[in-house]
Amino acid sequence: MSEPLICAGCGLLCDDVTAEGTALTPECALGSRWLAARRDAGGAAASIDGAPADVTAALDRAVELLGAARRPLLHGFDGATVEDARAAVTLADRLGALVRVDRAPDPEAVARRGSSTATLGEIRDRAEVVVVWREDPEVTHPRLLERLGSGATLVVVDDRDTATAARADVRLRWAAGRDLEAIRSLHVLERELPLTEDDLAGELRGLLDRLHAVPHAAFVHGPGLGGPRAALALYELVRALSDQRHVVTLGLPPVAGSAGADAVLTWQTGYPAAVDLASGHPELALAVDEGVDVAVCVEAPARPGVTTIALSALPVADAAVHIATAPPGVAAPGTAHRLDEVPLALAAPWPADRPTAAQLLARIGEGLAR
Amino acid sequence: MTEIRITGGAIHDPANEVDGEVRDLCLRDGRIVDDVGAQARTIDARGMVVMPGGVDIHAHIAGPKVTAARRLLSDDRRDDPIDRTELLRSGTGGLVPSTFATGYRYSLLGYTTVVEAAAPPLAARHVLAELRDTPMIDKAFLILMGNNQVLFELIRDGSAHLRDAIAWWLQATGGYGVKLVNPGGVELFKQSNGVIESLDDTIAGFAVTPRQVIEAIGSAVDGLGLPHPVHVHANNLGVAGNAATTLDTMRTLDGRQAHFAHLQFHSYGGEPGGPMRSRAPELLEHLAAHPEFTVDVGQVMFGDAVTTTADAHVSTVLRDLDGGKWLNHDTEVETGCGIVPYTYQAGNYVHALQWGIGLELFLLGGDPWQVMLSTDHPNGGSFLSYPKLIRLLMDRGYREDQLGRANRRAIRRTALLDDLDREYTLNEIAIITRAAPARRLGLRDKGHLGVGADADVTIYHDREDREEMFSTPRYVIQGGELLVEDGDLRRVQDGLLLSGRAPFDPAVAEVLEPLFGERYTVAFDHYPVRDPALREPARTVEAS
Ligand code: SF4
Ligand SMILES: [Zn+2]
């Protein structure tokens, strides 16, 4: 029997999917893998130091560890829901902990200059040029190009022969190390300032001509862009181009849960990405997690070398405490934010008798209060 | 069962024509009652002023654009931290406080109900989740409908389902009412960075005009009998000469109930691109002749603000003024969003004129039941500046002092130097900050102190310095519980979600589904918010 599903295999949260076994229609290999891993998660309900334990004992141990922690951290959120994140920041506030959305985009570029973005439908219906900048959505977000429609000219900036590059109408092949230079040069050209003529100049002029020729364009970018300086340069370029046309960016998050968790952290504390609550109030915490002695890891891989309480549907290696959760979107409902910030309600086609991370975090909070 | 007797206070309850009468006020189980038992807790309010809790009819406190503003302004909040306590969550303040801080600060200010005035319906889950994290106050949100492509199609085709569609959308989102922002203009901006020149411009691709959109949706909301009428942010906000558009919009809605948001930003004479002047007097005259209309002022306050609007074109204009931060987000089918931090300077001609026009709207003899207080938080200034604004209205000496600091040329172009001696009374303040907004929102249990009303009560020291008085209420009671004493939060509560509802023909789903399929990237079935944790508990106010 086929079940309708909102797939959380990547940030696209495709909501037109049905599943038969673990095969998805429309087909998506990444989505099938996501579903398979969660439908067969199985395993012990909980474990302490690798040995099976019952959930209550595991919660007691978690409370004990956190009660004694000097510098607790709550982190992860790769596969978490908005509800999980709300519960995590609530607990972090009580503990005076660090909170980190592990795969959140670097917030610096937005905070410095802002950005221009759009939902998928806006890009699908309007953009005539889509520039994918050193990302391979065919692998990481397999249905992205399909969902953006076939109307636009697809430009791919990448020197690797990726699956996405194979679908490009136009390829630009400079090496990753030259991205910042390339974006800055585009900006120089856009401002009609003299450009140092080098091997990139011709390609860059060609790209800019394409962008100038259309009323709507979009840049798809992600971690491949390599750091906040390049992101800042890209936003600056988009802003300059926006003067005469409508140009937006679409960030590709590496995981499905980060967009919602990052929004929650921002609305509850005022700051995105990483927040330190140790002083009694939120402070931006962009440095490494120095001195962390106990970590609560929510629906994500653990950090090596830290005593970890893992609340996760998938097994987590080397956790001091692991409690298996009902996988969001498979066995538990919850809210998730699509990569373009559209919030969707994940369904639970195969409900399981396991708690959510949000429920566990609340119980840990109650345990600490006793 | 909590019972409270407030004794000896001067009651200001304009909705019940009570103006400073000294008498007791009794509260039981969240309501105002005739009498309470001898065991009731007594609050000694002798020498104090007792009003219904404040009601903010237009502010921006939750949802994707507010959180985007928080991201953009992470440097603005560093110096305004809020510490966690046994009772309270930590947070940060600044122009756009974090959610918990927003709830706490509104409560500390004596406000008990706040309307988020511009929520993209597609983002309803996000808006609701933030509102659930905004404690203390009761809250509602208005959904953006003035640039909705599906509604454009229904309007173009003269569909009989328009009313049903609007009622469906409220039901799908938990929204309270309907908002139009630059009707048609945001779609034009998303199409071509375009602007509306006239209400009769055709919106490319849809063969409808802004006038048709305003007329059709205004009539539909009026016909549905929703508790709050259509809430209009007119076209051409901030542009010299836009008063003509505003008057045209009002004429288009003649005879139907409507609320016009932040009228100050829409009251300008002159020519686009040229020097601005004030046309506030004419607009007030029009209002006086049209009791079916109300407005909130959208006063600008000198100092820092952040413009946060669905009217994304305006943000590109502000972006180009000083080249500072700018954030834009386009929401498919429905709306746009623009955010630009902004500083209003007393010495600047335009800013001083905007400030002066706002004061004209308050002071030139308008009916306070029609002209309500707002700063369009955080667009004209933070809600924390309301006490200062109240002082400007109540204290002529203070106002003249402030006038003296503002750009002379601008102030000379207003009526503020014409011996304008109006000083708001306490009852008039009670009207513009609670009685009129509650009435306009159709919240029968709020904004007054009659028997049966919600026990939302704010008690102030009667201080000569009205800014001080309204900044720190002596007591704030909401739903019959004492929340605030002398600037300290004593008790935390969630506050209610207020939703509006009108019956509709469920067959409208068959009309909407194919239109959704063509336009949205979210399936029709997945659009409505069903999660009870987001939707409930709520108080639903039915159409009548
Ligand atoms: S593209 Fe992503 S969300 Fe869509 S089906 Fe594939 S894995 Fe799932
Ligand atoms: Zn507004």
Side-chain angles (χ1 to χ4, degrees):
Chain A
M1 212 188 83
S2 72
E3 285 287 341
L5 179 74
I6 297 184
C7 178
C10 74
L12 277 172
L13 302 181
C14 294
D15 70 328
D16 57 353
V17 176
T18 55
E20 213 169 328
T22 56
L24 302 189
T25 314
E27 212 174 304
C28 178
L30 180 62
S32 287
R33 285 203 303 278
W34 169 80
L35 181 57
R38 281 154 187 81
R39 284 203 64 181
D40 318 330
S47 64
I48 300 174
D49 298 323
D54 71 30
V55 172
T56 311
L59 279 169
D60 287 346
R61 179 73 183 132
V63 168
E64 197 182 321
L65 286 169
L66 281 170
R70 288 183 317 277
R71 183 79 167 128
L73 163 73
L74 286 91
H75 74 100
F77 307 100
D78 290 8
T81 62
V82 164
E83 289 75 10
D84 296 337
R86 286 169 73 195
V89 183
T90 302
L91 180 61
D93 199 14
R94 172 200 290 272
L95 287 167
L98 269 168
V99 193
R100 183 180 294 280
V101 180
D102 286 342
R103 315 292 294 273
D106 190 294
E108 196 189 319
V110 171
R112 280 184 54 186
R113 293 295 282 158
S115 60
S116 180
T117 54
T119 65
L120 293 177
E122 285 287 338
I123 298 173
R124 178 195 66 190
D125 292 346
R126 303 194 203 266
E128 291 172 35
V129 173
V130 172
V131 182
V132 177
W133 201 292
R134 216 168 296 283
E135 289 295 316
D136 190 9
E138 286 289 276
V139 172
T140 61
H141 298 72
R143 294 184 57 206
L144 177 72
L145 298 183
E146 171 212 323
R147 298 196 65 189
L148 291 182
S150 50
T153 301
L154 178 64
V155 179
V156 175
V157 177
D158 211 322
D159 54 345
R160 302 163 301 174
D161 288 321
T162 62
T164 304
R167 294 189 53 180
D169 299 305
V170 178
R171 286 200 58 182
L172 301 170
R173 297 169 188 265
W174 57 79
R178 299 188 71 181
D179 279 348
L180 185 59
E181 173 199 347
I183 298 170
R184 285 186 175 156
S185 298
L186 283 165
H187 199 114
V188 166
L189 283 171
E190 172 64 20
R191 286 168 34 198
E192 293 175 7
L193 297 170
L195 180 73
T196 327
E197 291 301 326
D198 62 11
D199 55 316
L200 290 191
E203 281 181 305
L204 295 176
R205 281 208 174 83
L207 175 57
L208 204 60
D209 286 347
R210 273 181 201 286
L211 293 166
H212 283 169
V214 298
H216 293 92
F219 287 86
V220 176
H221 67 102
L225 200 50
R229 280 167 76 208
L232 186 61
L234 178 64
Y235 295 164
E236 205 69 65
L237 172 66
V238 162
R239 179 180 174 131
L241 288 165
S242 295
D243 196 30
Q244 299 296 325
R245 62 198 64 72
H246 216 88
V247 186
V248 297
T249 59
L250 179 70
L252 296 184
V255 290
S258 59
D262 199 44
V264 169
L265 186 58
T266 308
W267 83 56
Q268 288 206 358
T269 70
Y271 297 119
V275 175
D276 190 351
L277 293 154
S279 67
H281 58 255
E283 290 170 358
L284 255 184
L286 294 176
V288 284
D289 313 331
E290 229 169 275
V292 167
D293 55 350
V294 177
V296 179
C297 174
V298 182
E299 303 292 0
R303 317 211 136 188
V306 180
T307 302
T308 291
I309 300 156
L311 311 176
S312 167
L314 302 184
V316 171
D318 296 330
V321 175
H322 173 245
I323 306 178
T325 61
V330 176
T335 314
H337 287 197
R338 206 166 70 179
L339 47 73
D340 56 358
E341 297 180 17
V342 172
L344 287 165
L346 301 179
W350 300 278
D353 191 20
R354 290 200 162 166
T356 63
Q359 288 163 345
L360 293 169
L361 289 159
R363 285 177 65 184
I364 292 172
E366 286 159 19
L368 285 162
R370 275 197 298 270
Chain B
M1 175 158 106
T2 317
E3 293 194 351
I4 297 177
R5 176 187 295 276
I6 300 163
T7 62
I11 311 274
H12 288 270
D13 180 15
N16 293 306
E17 288 168 18
V18 179
D19 185 3
E21 190 187 315
V22 174
R23 58 172 172 80
D24 291 1
L25 191 67
C26 298
L27 320 177
R28 183 195 308 126
D29 292 341
R31 297 272 162 183
I32 292 175
V33 292
D34 265 331
D35 205 359
V36 285
Q39 80 295 345
R41 168 170 186 178
T42 303
I43 289 177
D44 181 357
R46 277 174 301 175
M48 296 181 198
V49 168
V50 180
M51 291 187 182
V55 178
D56 196 339
I57 197 169
H58 188 111
H60 302 283
I61 58 165
K65 72 176 182 311
V66 179
T67 278
R70 293 180 180 116
R71 290 181 199 281
L72 197 60
L73 294 178
S74 49
D75 46 358
D76 164 64
R77 59 192 64 254
R78 205 159 297 149
D79 300 331
D80 192 9
I82 293 145
D83 279 314
R84 148 186 96 245
T85 68
E86 283 290 301
L87 192 62
L88 306 179
R89 290 288 305 270
S90 72
T92 46
L95 290 162
V96 189
S98 55
T99 49
F100 297 100
T102 299
Y104 300 152
R105 287 187 169 178
Y106 259 112
S107 194
L108 286 165
L109 205 60
Y111 273 73
T112 50
T113 304
V114 180
V115 175
E116 159 56 58
L122 182 58
R125 288 183 184 87
H126 180 167
V127 177
L128 286 162
E130 279 200 32
L131 289 177
R132 291 297 182 202
D133 282 342
T134 305
M136 316 303 280
I137 49 177
D138 295 344
K139 49 249 158 182
F141 64 97
L142 307 180
I143 56 173
L144 292 158
M145 309 231 78
N147 290 279
N148 185 305
Q149 298 172 345
V150 171
L151 293 185
F152 285 172
E153 296 203 35
L154 298 182
I155 293 167
R156 179 197 59 209
D157 299 343
S159 167
H161 295 288
L162 182 64
R163 273 192 201 184
D164 290 325
I166 290 170
W168 177 89
W169 241 292
L170 283 175
Q171 166 61 29
T173 56
Y176 189 78
V178 174
K179 175 81 175 294
L180 304 180
V181 170
N182 184 5
V186 177
E187 171 63 26
L188 270 191
F189 168 71
K190 291 195 291 183
Q191 286 183 5
S192 58
N193 290 358
V195 294
I196 296 289
E197 312 257 325
S198 137
L199 295 191
D200 299 312
D201 287 356
T202 300
I203 303 156
F206 295 94
V208 288
T209 64
R211 192 185 309 284
Q212 287 169 325
V213 172
I214 294 163
E215 218 263 315
I217 296 181
S219 302
V221 174
D222 199 48
L224 282 167
L226 288 170
H228 184 48
V230 67
H231 192 118
V232 185
H233 158 150
N235 304 89
N236 293 328
L237 178 143
V239 178
N242 65 8
T245 310
T246 310
L247 284 164
D248 201 9
T249 307
M250 288 181 171
R251 282 188 207 107
T252 304
L253 285 168
D254 251 8
R256 275 149 293 201
Q257 298 292 322
H259 180 83
F260 294 86
H262 36 70
L263 189 67
Q264 178 278 126
F265 288 113
H266 303 272
S267 299
Y268 308 147
E271 294 291 327
M276 238 179 215
R277 53 189 190 78
S278 167
R279 287 180 66 183
E282 262 168 279
L283 287 165
L284 286 171
E285 226 171 90
H286 194 90
L287 276 181
H290 289 273
E292 72 273 29
F293 296 155
T294 53
V295 307
D296 62 86
V297 167
Q299 177 69 34
V300 309
M301 301 298 284
F302 296 131
D304 290 338
V306 52
T307 63
T308 306
T309 179
D311 200 348
H313 176 263
V314 172
S315 308
T316 65
V317 174
L318 297 175
R319 167 196 73 194
D320 296 340
L321 283 181
D322 74 344
K325 296 180 186 186
W326 166 67
L327 191 140
N328 177 78
H329 183 70
D330 306 331
T331 298
E332 65 199 47
V333 191
E334 297 180 349
T335 184
C337 162
I339 306 172
V340 173
Y342 200 66
T343 303
Y344 297 98
Q345 293 160 328
N348 176 296
Y349 173 82
V350 172
H351 301 169
L353 189 67
Q354 292 179 308
W355 181 83
I357 290 171
L359 291 181
E360 283 186 309
L361 290 172
F362 279 117
L363 295 168
L364 290 180
D367 176 355
W369 286 98
Q370 262 183 306
V371 182
M372 302 169 203
L373 182 141
S374 76
T375 61
D376 192 11
H377 161 81
N379 285 281
S382 160
F383 63 87
L384 295 175
S385 62
Y386 295 170
K388 187 184 195 108
L389 175 52
I390 290 171
R391 186 172 182 201
L392 283 166
L393 302 180
M394 293 193 76
D395 179 343
R396 184 182 174 189
Y398 174 69
R399 183 164 74 232
E400 278 172 359
D401 174 68
Q402 298 294 304
L403 272 174
R405 296 159 196 259
N407 181 295
R408 269 330 256 178
R409 209 159 50 85
I411 298 304
R412 273 202 302 270
R413 284 179 170 259
T414 68
L416 296 175
L417 298 175
D418 306 347
D419 238 8
L420 206 56
D421 55 4
R422 180 165 178 189
E423 289 186 332
Y424 270 60
T425 64
L426 283 169
N427 249 38
E428 286 175 321
I429 294 297
I431 294 170
I432 65 172
T433 57
R434 40 268 278 170
R439 182 178 286 180
R440 197 47 163 169
L441 289 164
L443 294 168
R444 296 214 175 95
D445 300 334
K446 295 191 180 292
H448 73 98
L449 300 174
V451 168
D454 286 351
D456 297 351
V457 185
T458 305
I459 304 172
Y460 302 96
H461 289 291
D462 190 359
R463 294 190 207 276
E464 202 169 324
D465 181 334
R466 300 303 193 183
E467 182 176 351
E468 211 184 303
M469 167 175 170
F470 283 96
S471 295
T472 313
R474 178 69 181 86
Y475 302 100
V476 181
I477 297 163
Q478 182 168 354
E481 300 289 348
L482 181 59
L483 303 186
V484 173
E485 262 187 272
D486 257 341
D488 280 326
L489 291 160
R490 296 283 188 226
R491 182 191 163 96
V492 168
Q493 61 179 33
D494 289 338
L496 287 170
L497 174 72
L498 305 166
S499 291
R501 183 161 67 191
F504 61 91
D505 177 0
V508 72
E510 286 149 40
V511 177
L512 293 176
E513 185 162 6
L515 296 172
F516 265 64
E518 281 164 34
R519 301 206 171 267
Y520 281 101
T521 58
V522 171
F524 183 67
D525 241 14
H526 297 147
Y527 189 97
V529 184
R530 299 189 181 90
D531 181 0
L534 290 175
R535 297 199 62 132
E536 292 155 20
R539 179 188 289 174
T540 302
V541 182
E542 302 285 348
S544 56

Short mmCIF file of all heavy atoms in Angstrom, two decimals, chain B residues 58-60 117-118 179 233 261-262 308 376-377 379, ligand 2:
data_model
loop_
_atom_site.label_atom_id
_atom_site.label_comp_id
_atom_site.label_asym_id
_atom_site.label_seq_id
_atom_site.Cartn_x
_atom_site.Cartn_y
_atom_site.Cartn_z
N HIS B 58 -2.00 47.47 15.59
CA HIS B 58 -1.12 47.31 14.42
C HIS B 58 0.35 47.34 14.84
O HIS B 58 0.90 48.39 15.15
CB HIS B 58 -1.38 48.44 13.40
CG HIS B 58 -0.65 48.24 12.11
ND1 HIS B 58 -1.29 47.95 10.93
CD2 HIS B 58 0.66 48.25 11.82
CE1 HIS B 58 -0.40 47.81 9.97
NE2 HIS B 58 0.80 47.99 10.48
N ALA B 59 0.96 46.17 14.87
CA ALA B 59 2.39 46.09 15.18
C ALA B 59 2.93 44.85 14.48
O ALA B 59 2.17 44.03 13.95
CB ALA B 59 2.60 45.97 16.68
N HIS B 60 4.24 44.74 14.44
CA HIS B 60 4.88 43.58 13.81
C HIS B 60 5.74 42.88 14.85
O HIS B 60 6.79 43.37 15.23
CB HIS B 60 5.68 44.04 12.59
CG HIS B 60 4.79 44.75 11.61
ND1 HIS B 60 3.94 44.08 10.76
CD2 HIS B 60 4.55 46.06 11.41
CE1 HIS B 60 3.23 44.94 10.06
NE2 HIS B 60 3.57 46.16 10.44
N ALA B 117 0.27 42.56 12.33
CA ALA B 117 -0.59 43.11 11.28
C ALA B 117 -0.27 42.61 9.88
O ALA B 117 -0.92 43.04 8.93
CB ALA B 117 -0.52 44.63 11.31
N ALA B 118 0.68 41.72 9.70
CA ALA B 118 1.00 41.33 8.32
C ALA B 118 1.68 39.98 8.27
O ALA B 118 2.89 39.88 8.22
CB ALA B 118 1.90 42.38 7.67
N LYS B 179 -5.66 41.54 5.66
CA LYS B 179 -4.82 42.71 5.45
C LYS B 179 -4.54 42.86 3.96
O LYS B 179 -4.25 41.88 3.27
CB LYS B 179 -3.49 42.49 6.19
CG LYS B 179 -2.44 43.56 5.97
CD LYS B 179 -2.70 44.76 6.84
CE LYS B 179 -1.59 45.80 6.74
NZ LYS B 179 -0.31 45.36 7.24
N HIS B 233 -3.25 48.76 4.06
CA HIS B 233 -2.02 49.54 3.87
C HIS B 233 -2.08 49.93 2.40
O HIS B 233 -1.93 49.10 1.52
CB HIS B 233 -0.83 48.64 4.26
CG HIS B 233 0.51 48.99 3.70
ND1 HIS B 233 1.68 48.70 4.39
CD2 HIS B 233 0.92 49.53 2.53
CE1 HIS B 233 2.72 49.05 3.65
NE2 HIS B 233 2.30 49.55 2.53
N ALA B 261 -4.28 51.55 7.82
CA ALA B 261 -3.13 51.43 8.69
C ALA B 261 -2.17 52.60 8.49
O ALA B 261 -2.08 53.16 7.40
CB ALA B 261 -2.40 50.12 8.39
N HIS B 262 -1.48 52.95 9.54
CA HIS B 262 -0.42 53.97 9.55
C HIS B 262 -0.67 55.10 8.55
O HIS B 262 0.11 55.33 7.63
CB HIS B 262 0.97 53.35 9.34
CG HIS B 262 1.01 52.17 8.39
ND1 HIS B 262 0.82 52.30 7.05
CD2 HIS B 262 1.23 50.85 8.62
CE1 HIS B 262 0.92 51.11 6.48
NE2 HIS B 262 1.16 50.20 7.40
N THR B 308 9.98 47.27 8.33
CA THR B 308 9.75 45.84 8.21
C THR B 308 8.39 45.70 7.56
O THR B 308 7.38 45.90 8.20
CB THR B 308 9.72 45.22 9.63
OG1 THR B 308 10.92 45.59 10.30
CG2 THR B 308 9.61 43.73 9.59
N ASP B 376 3.34 51.77 14.12
CA ASP B 376 3.61 50.71 13.16
C ASP B 376 4.89 49.98 13.60
O ASP B 376 5.76 49.67 12.80
CB ASP B 376 3.77 51.30 11.75
CG ASP B 376 3.77 50.24 10.66
OD1 ASP B 376 3.44 49.08 10.96
OD2 ASP B 376 4.10 50.59 9.52
N HIS B 377 5.00 49.74 14.89
CA HIS B 377 6.19 49.10 15.46
C HIS B 377 6.70 47.96 14.57
O HIS B 377 5.89 47.11 14.20
CB HIS B 377 5.88 48.53 16.87
CG HIS B 377 6.86 47.49 17.32
ND1 HIS B 377 8.07 47.84 17.87
CD2 HIS B 377 6.84 46.12 17.26
CE1 HIS B 377 8.75 46.72 18.15
NE2 HIS B 377 8.02 45.67 17.79
N ASN B 379 8.33 50.04 12.56
CA ASN B 379 8.58 50.87 11.38
C ASN B 379 8.76 52.36 11.69
O ASN B 379 9.62 53.00 11.10
CB ASN B 379 7.43 50.71 10.39
CG ASN B 379 7.48 49.40 9.65
OD1 ASN B 379 8.26 49.25 8.71
ND2 ASN B 379 6.69 48.43 10.06
ZN ZN C 2 2.62 47.72 9.56
#
